[in-house]
Amino acid sequence: MLLRNPRREVELDGPMSVRSVLATLDVNPESVIVIRSDDLLTNEMQVSDDDVIELRPVISGGSWESAT
Amino acid sequence: MKCRVCKGPAAVEIRRHNAAFCRDHFLGHLRSQVDRTIRKFDMIGRDDRVLVAVSGGKDSLALWDLLLDLGYAADGLYIGLGIGEYSGESQRLAEGFAKSREATFRVVDMMDTYGYDIPIGARAARRATCGTCGLSKRHVMNDVARRHGYDVLATGHNLDDEAATLFGNVLHWNVDALARQRPVLPGTDGFTKKVKPLIRLGEREMAAYCVLRGIDYIVEECPMVGGNTGLRYKEALNGIEQASPGTKHQFFFGFLDRGAGRFRLPHSDDGPADRPDDVTVDAREDVPDLRPCAECGAPTTAEVCAFCRLRGLATDPERVEVALAREGRNRRRRRRR
């Protein structure tokens, strides 16, 4: 499977669960959403060898820190 | 994994609620959470005119979408910060959303209106970029809200933002900031009421909301924030949340329920803090009275407000020249690498 995020692409052998994909890449599930085509994947879903999935970071920063 | 409501296939899991939802019930869940927050904290009246601060990111566009869906008269304000392609793309996306919802979209360009942009302005003023950006945005948001007669200013701060801010404020025992960290800052002379309707919702939920609603938002992080302290706090809290779902919610709402009352807002007319015992901290001690800024008229405790002082430095020709020269050198250095 091909994993994309805005910064890099990685190939892994499937099938495996989303949870395993994230663990393999040492990505905290709290910090991303996982998208296949236009669908969101939950952690228990299986990803096959042919799939292209996006791990989209959800953490945003900037000046929020001082915006209280 | 099944939807908690209809038992169909789930699209999104929310671990801190030990629940999962299909697309439609997830969207309904988020709407009801925002509606509940607005009512509980008395954020927005039915006849209020709301100005939503939109950056083109997931939180602010989702907030605007949710407020419109809940029937509020919500207009958007985009502030052009002059951060290269990032600003251009985020404005295009915010504008696209406004068109799709036929909503009123206001734009203030920092360079056109105030004579500086964030990257060069921060360098010229010799201040941190995120601090320069935050101070500038707070001033512009309030100014636009006041001039156009909005009742409420809404920002897209979510649970993760608030928990990380609280974490930082506690680590540094920033008493003034703890006193101001409220879901609602009431309107006072010169300040429009500010509200944060997304405080019950996490960042994953906001990103999932945008994907499921087909809202195109800027995914790339602002290029100026790399490695900032706030992001490190969020990562630390996510590590704890992964092991103990619900920690961020308990931390922040525990503070609102049991901690916030011990700190008083500067210049508020609150009576004594809720628990006047030995741990109560009065953030109002030694705070001078507010008066109009000599340059822009905004309320301030000083002769000239922090924004006008920043603007003076950020537009000083000699400082700008040095900042531009340094920026040029850095660009050339980056190209050589």
Side-chain angles (χ1 to χ4, degrees):
Chain A
M1 75 196 81
L2 183 64
L3 306 167
R4 280 194 182 134
N5 83 0
R7 291 180 200 86
R8 62 184 179 137
E9 290 189 357
V10 177
E11 282 196 51
L12 289 179
D13 293 328
M16 65 200 297
S17 69
V18 169
R19 192 186 313 279
S20 302
V21 170
L22 298 178
T24 303
L25 297 173
D26 197 21
V27 172
N28 186 332
E30 287 295 318
S31 67
V32 292
I33 52 172
V34 183
I35 305 170
R36 181 174 55 197
S37 301
D38 288 330
D39 294 327
L40 292 176
L41 303 185
T42 55
N43 285 344
E44 64 174 24
M45 284 182 177
Q46 291 288 311
V47 186
S48 76
D49 225 15
D50 307 328
D51 281 333
V52 176
I53 65 173
E54 177 186 351
L55 307 185
R56 185 179 291 186
V58 299
I59 298 181
S60 55
S63 57
W64 56 270
E65 190 182 9
S66 54
T68 52
Chain B
M1 196 171 287
K2 305 281 184 205
C3 171
R4 172 195 266 188
V5 182
C6 68
K7 311 301 176 201
V12 185
E13 181 186 11
I14 305 180
R15 289 181 71 224
R16 72 175 181 285
H17 294 326
N18 195 22
F21 297 94
C22 67
R23 176 190 181 278
D24 289 350
H25 288 118
F26 173 74
L27 297 178
H29 170 74
L30 260 59
R31 264 182 223 122
S32 74
Q33 290 285 308
V34 171
D35 188 36
R36 182 177 159 196
T37 306
I38 290 172
R39 287 168 198 271
K40 177 177 167 64
F41 293 101
D42 196 17
M43 289 183 168
I44 310 172
R46 270 292 150 203
D47 297 326
D48 282 348
R49 290 181 65 225
V50 186
L51 184 64
V52 185
V54 289
S55 65
K58 63 187 190 314
D59 304 303
S60 57
L61 289 181
L63 171 62
W64 198 3
D65 190 60
L66 284 157
L67 291 179
L68 290 169
D69 272 3
L70 289 167
Y72 292 103
D75 298 347
L77 167 65
Y78 177 86
I79 301 172
L81 304 166
I83 305 176
E85 286 172 22
Y86 174 80
S87 284
E89 179 67 359
S90 56
Q91 181 170 346
R92 186 186 69 75
L93 292 167
E95 225 165 324
F97 175 84
K99 268 188 196 143
S100 74
R101 295 298 306 251
E102 297 179 355
T104 300
F105 184 60
R106 299 183 183 279
V107 179
V108 173
D109 184 87
M110 289 302 298
M111 181 57 90
D112 291 349
T113 310
Y114 297 99
Y116 71 95
D117 61 29
I118 298 304
I120 298 299
R123 272 183 186 278
R126 291 165 204 153
R127 291 185 58 147
T129 314
C130 291
T132 302
C133 185
L135 174 57
S136 304
K137 286 195 290 194
R138 287 196 297 280
H139 177 87
V140 174
M141 288 187 295
N142 192 62
D143 185 54
V144 172
R146 301 268 307 154
R147 279 192 289 111
H148 294 279
Y150 287 96
D151 303 291
V152 182
L153 187 52
T155 57
H157 295 85
N158 58 45
L159 174 61
D160 292 68
D161 296 328
E162 293 302 304
T165 299
L166 179 59
F167 190 52
N169 288 342
V170 169
L171 282 180
H172 300 286
W173 287 115
N174 189 339
V175 173
D176 286 350
L178 285 166
R180 286 195 306 274
Q181 193 172 358
R182 307 287 169 86
V184 176
L185 286 177
T188 54
D189 279 348
F191 289 115
T192 299
K193 180 180 181 181
K194 288 167 86 174
V195 303
K196 301 172 185 174
L198 300 185
I199 53 168
R200 280 186 183 280
L201 304 171
E203 274 187 317
R204 283 189 81 247
E205 286 128 83
M206 301 326 300
Y209 180 89
C210 286
V211 170
L212 294 174
R213 286 280 291 161
I215 295 172
D216 209 1
Y217 67 91
I218 189 148
V219 174
E220 282 291 330
E221 185 51 88
C222 170
M224 315 297 288
V225 307
N228 83 3
T229 315
L231 290 178
R232 286 203 298 277
Y233 292 161
K234 283 189 173 180
E235 283 165 11
L237 287 171
N238 275 343
I240 302 170
E241 183 78 15
Q242 173 62 12
S244 306
T247 300
K248 285 184 278 194
H249 182 99
Q250 287 161 12
F251 180 47
F252 179 61
F253 282 91
F255 166 71
L256 292 185
D257 289 343
R258 300 188 295 280
R262 296 169 183 245
F263 303 90
R264 298 199 298 187
L265 285 168
H267 304 110
S268 75
D269 293 326
D270 296 348
D274 291 354
R275 294 185 186 192
D277 53 31
D278 57 352
V279 294
T280 299
V281 180
D282 189 343
R284 297 191 297 188
E285 279 175 12
D286 302 325
V287 177
D289 288 340
L290 288 175
R291 53 182 163 165
C293 167
E295 292 186 15
C296 73
T300 176
T301 54
E303 170 81 19
V304 175
C305 74
F307 173 77
C308 286
R309 293 200 302 273
L310 166 69
R311 185 186 179 188
L313 297 172
T315 55
D316 177 88
E318 283 180 23
R319 284 171 169 264
V320 170
E321 201 175 317
V322 172
L324 285 169
R326 200 175 293 162
E327 176 70 11
R329 274 202 304 276
N330 286 348
R331 268 195 201 137
R332 284 195 295 278
R333 242 181 245 149
R334 281 198 293 271
R335 270 203 299 269
R336 274 202 296 271
R337 270 179 210 154

